[in-house]
Amino acid sequence: MSDLRRFLRGGLLAFALGVAATAGAQTLSDPTAALPSRERLAAGQARVWTLQSTVIGPQRRIAVVNGVVVGIGDRVDGARVVAISHGHAELDVGGRRVSLDLFGAAPDPDEESRGTP
């Protein structure tokens, strides 16, 4: 019986150490996951556009902005796509140009001019 107790104590100690070691660990976010832009807009927060991918071919140019596949002339979260190049896209937001680089978030230019965080 004493061997069983030692085994259980050792297992319990290992379990407790494992739990303590993982308690401070950070979870990594999925860089390919769609951004919660529509939820932010519904909550009244500032619009933000993030370029997640570009595909440049001989016949067309495609980008993924805020999880939405778009081409030139398409609209995404209140902005119109006006240009797509390798790792870069430009949006028109009410007559103002917003420049996007891969995984660099661009805030709404109207929100910036009003000083909204």
Side-chain angles (χ1 to χ4, degrees), residues 52 55 63 83 100 107:
Q52 296 168 294
V55 178
L100 304 178

Side-chain angles (χ1 to χ4, degrees), residues 1-108:
M1 192 73 134
S2 65
D3 287 338
L4 180 59
R5 276 192 185 157
R6 264 186 268 158
F7 175 74
L8 290 176
R9 275 192 204 150
L12 183 59
L13 178 61
F15 175 75
L17 288 174
V19 169
T22 60
Q26 281 185 306
T27 58
L28 299 175
S29 63
D30 180 2
T32 62
L35 299 176
S37 58
R38 285 176 180 76
E39 289 84 7
R40 272 200 312 269
L41 287 174
Q45 296 177 0
R47 291 181 289 184
V48 175
W49 297 273
T50 300
L51 179 63
Q52 296 168 294
S53 179
T54 58
V55 178
I56 309 300
Q59 300 297 319
R60 63 181 170 166
R61 294 169 177 261
I62 301 171
V64 178
V65 178
N66 292 3
V68 179
V69 178
V70 293
I72 295 173
D74 292 342
R75 296 185 83 64
V76 59
D77 293 337
R80 187 173 54 86
V81 180
V82 293
I84 299 171
S85 60
H86 291 283
H88 183 80
E90 290 190 20
L91 307 177
D92 180 279
V93 183
R96 299 173 94 174
R97 282 259 172 133
V98 175
S99 183
L100 304 178
D101 291 316
L102 274 178
F103 292 100
D108 183 343

